[in-house]
Amino acid sequence: MKKTIIITVILFIAVIAATIYLFGDFNKNNKQDSKALQYLPENTLAIASFTNDQTVDTIFNDYELFKAIIGQQNFSHLKRLKEDLLQNDQLAPLVDGQQILLSFHQEKEQITPLYSVQVGQSLDDKTLATLLGNVGKNYKIQPFDTLGHRFYGLNQGTKDSTLYCSYFHEIIFASYSKKVLAQIFDKNVKKINTKQIEFFVNHNNKNTPLSLYFFNEQLSQFARILMKSKFGNYLGLIDSLKGQTSWNMNFKKDAFIFKGETALTDSKNSYLQLFATQTAQVQALGNYLPKNAASYIDFSISDPHSFRSGLKALFLQQKEDSRLAKSIKNFEDDSQVSFDSIIAPIFNDEFALAELDNQDAIGLISISDSTQFADNLKKFSTAVGDSIYQFKYSNLLYALFGEPFKSFNRPYFTVVDNIMVIASRTGILRDYRESFREKQFLSGTAIFKNHAALQNSRSNVTFYLEPKAGKSTILNNLKTEFAKNFRDEEEYGFQNFYSWSYQLSGNQGSFSSSLYALYKSDTRLGGKPEWAVQLESRIINKPWIFDQDGKNKFILIQEQDHTVHAFSPDGKELWQNLFQGEILGEPIQLQDLSIIAVTKNRLYRFMPDGKNMTGFSVELPSKATYGATLANFNKEQRIYIPATDRILAYTLAGKKVEGFENNSVDGRIIFDLKTTTLGQTNYIIAGTSTASVYFFDQNGKIIHKKTLDTDGESVKNPIGLMAASDEKNSFIYLADNKGSIFKVPFEGDAKKIKLGDWSRDAFFNFEDISGGADRDFVILSKNKLNAYSARDSSSYFEYKFYRRCQQQTLVF
């Protein structure tokens, strides 16, 4: 799986698009059907078509994407060649407004271009020789004959600088390779057939800068030229794909966008053809990928029955059916459960395969029926601990979904939010669960958001790659020459392409297809910073803004090695200190401008200049699970810290307040502690994972405890506090995992309020969003955002996102 189809697409489109500006222009109102197609060899890798017109200079002038791909020096050389030849006074009148084809051909271990330029009138050999002789003083013309045709060599006087030309049927053919040019006239070389030419011509959009054609079966051959080793799972999917593709370019200053049609011919043995009869679906699994995902391929189906029928026919053709039937029979004999009628419907219509930046692989499968899944879980898997399971039987996922899961024989898996995540090792899944718990998703990055806005939201197959994250994999698999160019950031700009994607959507047996490449931009989200600082490792917390001296602000951040940095608003580093652990929750700034921060093992209080106050830092006797809460009881400020199943208390001088940690709670205290004073009583309130609410007094003594009925399920969201003037009208709010809120009074019985249905991964918060005196319920579940009044449970609004959203912290 360490080979990515997008690597092929990147360099494939790169080489083609890079030459457009140099050798052709376009006229959207005067495209012609090309005659040159019938002379091109059948094994042509790809063809770009455009019209020679001066208009291109105003559109593609200084088009940075081309320079990034072919290199600054090559761009300058080819631009001069264009000016000397196509724009020469002698040749320009004959080729202005005419059709140009730029085709690419394999020659040993390299790719060689061939130019086919239609001429506006017939020319004899004498006229052509005279014409070429007057093209320019920088070239030496060398005529010679081969295959019964007159060839001309245009030599600039340096090694490998000769451009070979020949004229045939009102077309000038030119290449830097005599061998490639000779294929045009060699009758023993099979040419492109009539049906392929008709497909290309019929899909040639006259309102686009260029059209791009390629033969699907040549994609794998193109990849073999670029890569130094065998295909992995990604590229293996295209190895048997036949037919042809026609794309048209949508011009965008900071992105490559190609859209068009992909026809399938003799592709019955191809896995991808199973999706040609499906219809495009909204794909959501990309939103569940961890932040360190380098590439993925997402599949979605609209008709599971036809997909599974087609998959079984494919297994039969590939002679895999008997092996898979044996695995299924073993399962059915042991479990007495039908694989097709019980197990298959458990899973939904979307599945994905991803490669991480460390080259580990994970798979994701959407679960459609969580109840059926839970009922049958033990029949096909065994628990191995930490919410991780392993399949008892081999090849079950391969039988269900085909080629993407062929390498997962008896994988391990875990389940999050009705998504099965699979891997070959338990450690990969533990890392994933940690990323999921911390909401460290690829979809939360600026690159992914910008790319999602660029590409189609509906598809059947989506390939996605971030070259920076997958850099080591790309370099390891490219041959030395291509790897050198990819690495060279001064001459080339491959590193400035942030992301690539390739999409296929079923279209009654063929595909609507498209390619997107996002280039660096100053106008996009996260595009151009006011200033930037290079740190040693990644930032693990959001930036915090604090007062520096009552007039000025400063920015506080912490990186992965737990170093804390302070920056001025203009990016100047003020100081840095190494903390013992990650800062939990939110640091608190006091009136004297000192800042209180908590890590798992220590309590800090420091000034804006980074210096610890006397008595700090303080070692904690128990591990903290969230940040501190500051309360002022009886004119004395105290610091309260949740520490798993107990509360720690300290004075502002860092002295421990005895007694609190002796009163443990059941379960784990979730998020922060709440404090309030009602009447003569000072309250400290803690909510636990076991759905209990504890009311302590200021000395750590339990006043009372409320245990709520959540059907045995733990809870994971913060509690909310609505404090009035007395206990009777003050409440704690706690959300379960099924759409209900518990309203817990300081005195009396709790009340359960049903608001709706939401997923177990739903996020609940209690904030004022209506501008009134009361706070409100805010629930984010899957792709829905809801807000309700805490007073009467009425709905303020509901918003449905196209894509699944994650819990985010907004920083302004």
Side-chain angles (χ1 to χ4, degrees), residues 471-488:
K471 186 175 181 179
S472 60
T473 301
I474 295 172
L475 291 175
N476 286 340
N477 289 293
L478 288 176
K479 291 177 181 176
T480 303
E481 179 183 354
F482 296 106
K484 181 181 177 182
N485 292 345
F486 185 87
R487 192 184 292 110
D488 187 349

Side-chain angles (χ1 to χ4, degrees), residues 13 17 210 212 247-250 256-260 513-515:
I13 300 302
L210 76 137
L212 176 62
W247 280 344
N248 296 295
M249 183 181 181
N250 292 4
F256 278 139
I257 302 178
F258 288 88
K259 296 183 179 182
S513 57
S514 54
L515 179 134

Side-chain angles (χ1 to χ4, degrees), residues 591-731:
Q591 286 187 347
D592 66 355
L593 301 184
S594 66
I595 298 167
I596 294 172
V598 175
T599 68
K600 187 180 293 185
N601 298 305
R602 302 195 76 82
L603 168 64
Y604 292 84
R605 185 181 176 193
F606 57 94
M607 295 303 294
D609 61 4
K611 295 179 180 179
N612 281 323
M613 294 193 67
T614 302
F616 292 88
S617 66
V618 176
E619 184 176 1
L620 303 178
S622 301
K623 291 184 178 180
T625 50
Y626 202 74
T629 296
L630 188 68
N632 191 343
F633 294 147
N634 301 326
K635 299 182 180 180
E636 180 183 2
Q637 285 188 308
R638 287 183 178 178
I639 303 167
Y640 299 99
I641 304 170
T644 309
D645 63 348
R646 62 200 63 215
I647 298 173
L648 307 178
Y650 290 86
T651 67
L652 289 187
K655 301 297 181 181
K656 183 179 178 182
V657 179
E658 301 295 337
F660 274 81
E661 70 276 11
N662 296 325
N663 293 320
S664 62
V665 301
D666 58 354
R668 180 177 182 268
I669 298 176
I670 48 179
F671 288 89
D672 58 330
L673 303 166
K674 308 298 183 184
T675 61
T676 188
T677 298
L678 300 176
Q680 300 299 315
T681 306
N682 298 316
Y683 286 95
I684 304 167
I685 306 105
T688 72
S689 59
T690 56
S692 293
V693 179
Y694 285 81
F695 297 82
F696 295 89
D697 66 15
Q698 68 184 62
N699 298 314
K701 180 181 177 181
I702 296 178
I703 300 174
H704 56 261
K705 166 190 171 185
K706 305 279 189 179
T707 299
L708 309 173
D709 183 9
T710 58
D711 297 327
E713 290 192 358
S714 60
V715 296
K716 58 179 181 53
N717 279 302
I719 60 173
L721 167 66
M722 186 169 73
S725 58
D726 56 21
E727 283 85 348
K728 183 179 180 181
N729 295 299
S730 299
F731 304 94

Side-chain angles (χ1 to χ4, degrees), residues 179-432:
K179 182 178 180 180
V180 169
L181 182 60
Q183 293 182 57
I184 299 297
F185 308 101
D186 191 341
K187 296 180 180 179
N188 294 320
V189 174
K190 195 173 182 179
K191 305 300 191 292
I192 298 174
N193 66 51
T194 303
K195 289 186 177 180
Q196 290 173 323
I197 294 175
E198 289 177 356
F199 175 83
F200 293 154
V201 171
N202 290 338
H203 290 87
N204 186 352
N205 190 329
K206 301 182 185 301
N207 297 313
T208 187
L210 76 137
S211 295
L212 176 62
Y213 316 134
F214 60 89
F215 305 97
N216 300 334
E217 55 264 43
Q218 295 296 342
L219 280 176
S220 56
Q221 182 60 28
F222 195 93
R224 289 184 175 93
I225 298 172
L226 303 177
M227 295 166 55
K228 60 186 179 183
S229 53
K230 295 180 179 180
F231 287 1
N233 285 4
Y234 284 3
L235 281 173
L237 295 174
I238 67 166
D239 204 17
S240 58
L241 194 65
K242 307 297 182 182
Q244 53 276 333
T245 293
S246 175
W247 280 344
N248 296 295
M249 183 181 181
N250 292 4
F251 180 81
K252 201 172 190 329
K253 189 70 174 178
D254 51 8
F256 278 139
I257 302 178
F258 288 88
K259 296 183 179 182
E261 297 294 323
T262 294
L264 303 176
T265 305
D266 298 325
S267 295
K268 294 181 179 180
N269 201 36
S270 168
Y271 178 76
L272 290 181
Q273 58 87 21
L274 298 177
F275 298 88
T277 55
Q278 304 291 319
T279 57
Q281 304 292 300
V282 174
Q283 295 182 318
L285 289 182
N287 296 309
Y288 282 93
L289 291 172
K291 197 173 183 178
N292 65 329
S295 61
Y296 72 88
I297 176 171
D298 193 344
F299 301 91
S300 57
I301 55 180
S302 58
D303 185 352
H305 177 73
S306 67
F307 172 79
R308 301 203 190 283
S309 297
L311 183 60
K312 288 181 179 181
L314 182 61
F315 285 145
L316 188 64
Q317 292 177 25
Q318 297 174 340
K319 298 182 179 179
E320 292 273 39
D321 54 314
S322 58
R323 181 167 71 95
L324 294 177
K326 184 177 179 180
S327 294
I328 294 172
K329 186 176 187 304
N330 289 339
F331 164 74
E332 292 182 334
D333 288 347
D334 292 345
S335 65
Q336 297 299 303
V337 169
S338 169
F339 184 75
D340 286 337
S341 61
I342 301 298
I343 300 301
I346 289 175
F347 297 99
N348 215 329
D349 55 1
E350 187 178 1
F351 50 98
L353 196 63
E355 183 178 323
L356 310 183
D357 57 7
N358 61 1
Q359 299 185 12
D360 283 337
I362 61 172
L364 294 88
I365 305 170
S366 179
I367 298 171
S368 63
D369 192 328
S370 57
T371 301
Q372 280 283 77
F373 183 87
D375 291 344
N376 290 279
L377 178 62
K378 294 181 180 180
K379 296 175 182 177
F380 63 80
S381 67
T382 303
V384 297
D386 294 337
S387 300
I388 296 174
Y389 305 82
Q390 185 180 21
F391 276 87
K392 293 179 182 179
Y393 307 90
S394 59
N395 297 316
L396 292 188
L397 292 180
Y398 180 34
L400 280 171
F401 302 106
E403 192 71 25
F405 296 106
K406 186 175 184 178
S407 62
F408 291 100
N409 191 15
R410 286 183 56 231
Y412 298 92
F413 68 90
T414 189
V415 178
V416 293
D417 197 21
N418 284 342
I419 303 296
M420 174 188 279
V421 184
I422 67 172
S424 59
R425 294 185 290 109
T426 57
I428 300 174
L429 295 178
R430 291 190 183 97
D431 291 342
Y432 178 87

Side-chain angles (χ1 to χ4, degrees), residues 453-470:
L454 193 69
Q455 71 178 13
N456 200 324
S457 62
R458 292 178 176 270
S459 179
N460 291 117
V461 183
T462 296
F463 302 90
Y464 178 84
L465 170 72
E466 289 190 7
K468 185 176 181 180

Side-chain angles (χ1 to χ4, degrees), residues 522-534:
D522 293 342
T523 60
R524 287 197 182 94
L525 175 64
K528 183 179 181 180
E530 293 293 331
W531 50 267
V533 175
Q534 181 64 51

